[in-house]
């Protein structure tokens, strides 16, 4: 059985691991969003900058995963920008920064780097 190759001799199509990463990521984001929607009183307790930053982080991660799904390099750049903004906001004291806040973006970025040559 032969696999179609791109001009640089790499197999075409989305790798299974990238597909699973996107699906798992969207599931986690959906659960996080549902948690906010089903418990809106939690938003009332958050300072406005924290709520806005959380919304941007969720939206940025969802868009980065869309970039990966479409096999686009901008998905990798977007997750790096979102992560950098998260680190800057943590260092500025706007948002508390924990190692767990950087774990998921780091996994997404590493996977993007692994498949960088296949992303367009």
């Amino acid at each position: 059985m032969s696999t179609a190759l791109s001009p640089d001799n790499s197999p075409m199509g989305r790798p299974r691991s990238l597909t699973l990463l996107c699906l798992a990521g969207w599931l986690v984001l959906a659960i996080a969003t549902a948690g906010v929607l089903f418990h809106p009183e939690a938003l009332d307790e958050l300072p406005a900058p924290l709520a806005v930053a959380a919304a941007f982080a969720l939206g940025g991660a969802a868009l980065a995963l869309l970039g990966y799904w479409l096999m686009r390099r901008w998905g990798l750049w977007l997750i790096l920008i979102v992560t950098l903004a998260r680190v800057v906001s943590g260092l500025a004291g706007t948002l508390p920064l924990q190692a767990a806040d950087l774990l998921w973006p780091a996994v997404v970025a590493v996977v993007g780097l692994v498949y960088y040559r296949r992303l367009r």
Side-chain angles (χ1 to χ4, degrees):
M1 181 169 136
S2 66
T3 303
L5 296 176
S6 69
D8 66 352
N9 291 331
S10 62
M12 305 242 328
R14 187 180 327 99
R16 183 172 289 139
S17 58
L18 204 52
T19 299
L20 293 174
L21 175 81
C22 290
L23 294 175
W26 285 324
L27 178 64
V28 168
L29 291 171
I31 290 169
T33 302
V36 171
L37 294 176
F38 291 125
H39 300 288
E41 66 278 357
L43 280 179
D44 294 336
E45 298 173 9
L46 289 178
L50 184 60
V52 170
F56 276 115
L58 288 173
L63 285 174
L65 290 172
L66 176 63
Y68 279 22
W69 186 266
L70 298 173
M71 297 296 292
R72 300 289 188 229
R73 287 183 181 165
W74 58 260
L76 173 61
W77 298 119
L78 183 57
I79 197 67
L80 292 174
I81 290 168
V82 168
T83 303
L84 180 62
R86 181 68 180 90
V87 169
V88 168
S89 67
L91 293 175
T94 307
L95 295 173
L97 185 62
Q98 300 173 358
D101 296 330
L102 301 176
L103 181 63
W104 175 249
V107 169
V108 174
V110 167
V111 170
L113 290 172
V114 167
Y115 293 110
Y116 186 79
R117 294 189 73 176
R118 292 184 58 188
L119 300 174
R120 298 178 299 243

